[in-house]
């Protein structure tokens, strides 16, 4: 009888491992589809944008006007369209914006548009 409970525990343990494997494999596919280097580059660009907006508006984060710079939206536009869209978004900024716009356009060159649920 003592061997029966240990056998059952072992079977349950193996069943638990099998349910975790597909999640692990799915994670592997995710890192293949979205290269970690690309994700890190995008994160670095978003952090750079955040820092530059603080400098442009010269205020705390809570005081920055509602402003969303969507990298994927910019990637769908032509070069001139990207510049125009950024100028529209930064209308309320009183400081010169050209250095920021040029810097952002330079940084997003070569980025690929992200698709699916990760865009959030």
């Amino acid at each position: 009888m003592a061997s029966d409970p240990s056998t059952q525990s072992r079977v349950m343990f193996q069943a638990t491992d099998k349910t975790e494997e597909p999640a692990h494999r799915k994670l592997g596919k995710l890192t293949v589809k979205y290269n970690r280097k690309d994700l890190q580059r995008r994160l670095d660009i978003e952090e750079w944008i955040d820092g530059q907006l603080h400098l442009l508006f010269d205020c705390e984060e809570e005081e920055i006007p509602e402003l969303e710079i969507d990298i994927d939206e910019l990637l769908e536009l032509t070069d001139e369209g990207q510049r125009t869209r950024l100028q529209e978004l930064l209308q309320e900024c009183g400081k010169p914006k050209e250095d920021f716009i040029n810097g952002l356009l330079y940084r997003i060159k070569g980025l690929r548009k992200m698709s699916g649920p990760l865009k959030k």
Side-chain angles (χ1 to χ4, degrees):
M1 271 194 146
S3 64
D4 287 341
S6 66
T7 305
Q8 288 176 346
S9 297
R10 189 178 306 155
V11 170
M12 292 175 69
F13 181 75
Q14 290 176 349
T16 303
D17 280 347
K18 287 185 178 183
T19 58
E20 291 176 14
E21 282 181 356
H24 179 70
R25 288 183 189 149
K26 191 173 185 178
L27 180 62
K29 289 179 184 175
L30 177 71
T31 56
V32 169
K33 185 172 181 180
Y34 300 108
N35 184 318
R36 288 178 193 248
K37 200 172 190 178
D38 291 343
L39 291 173
Q40 185 61 51
R41 182 173 174 209
R42 183 175 286 264
L43 178 62
D44 291 344
I45 290 171
E46 289 177 0
E47 289 174 351
W48 179 84
I49 290 171
D50 187 49
Q52 293 299 307
L53 290 177
H54 287 289
L55 294 173
L56 280 174
F57 287 95
D58 198 24
C59 60
E60 297 300 318
E61 187 170 341
E62 304 83 37
E63 299 169 5
I64 293 178
E66 189 65 31
L67 179 66
E68 182 178 342
I69 297 176
D70 185 345
I71 294 173
D72 286 330
E73 176 189 348
L74 291 174
L75 292 173
E76 292 176 353
L77 301 172
T78 64
D79 289 349
E80 192 54 42
Q82 292 173 345
R83 184 172 301 282
T84 302
R85 179 66 180 138
L86 288 170
Q87 288 170 341
E88 290 170 1
L89 290 171
L90 297 169
Q91 283 179 356
E92 296 179 34
C93 178
K95 290 187 176 182
K97 313 171 258 287
E98 284 307 309
D99 286 343
F100 169 75
I101 292 172
N102 291 334
L104 179 55
L105 294 179
Y106 174 77
R107 283 170 173 77
I108 66 172
K109 291 281 185 220
L111 263 185
R112 290 178 291 171
K113 183 179 174 198
M114 294 188 80
S115 60
L118 275 187
K119 184 181 170 190
K120 298 177 185 175

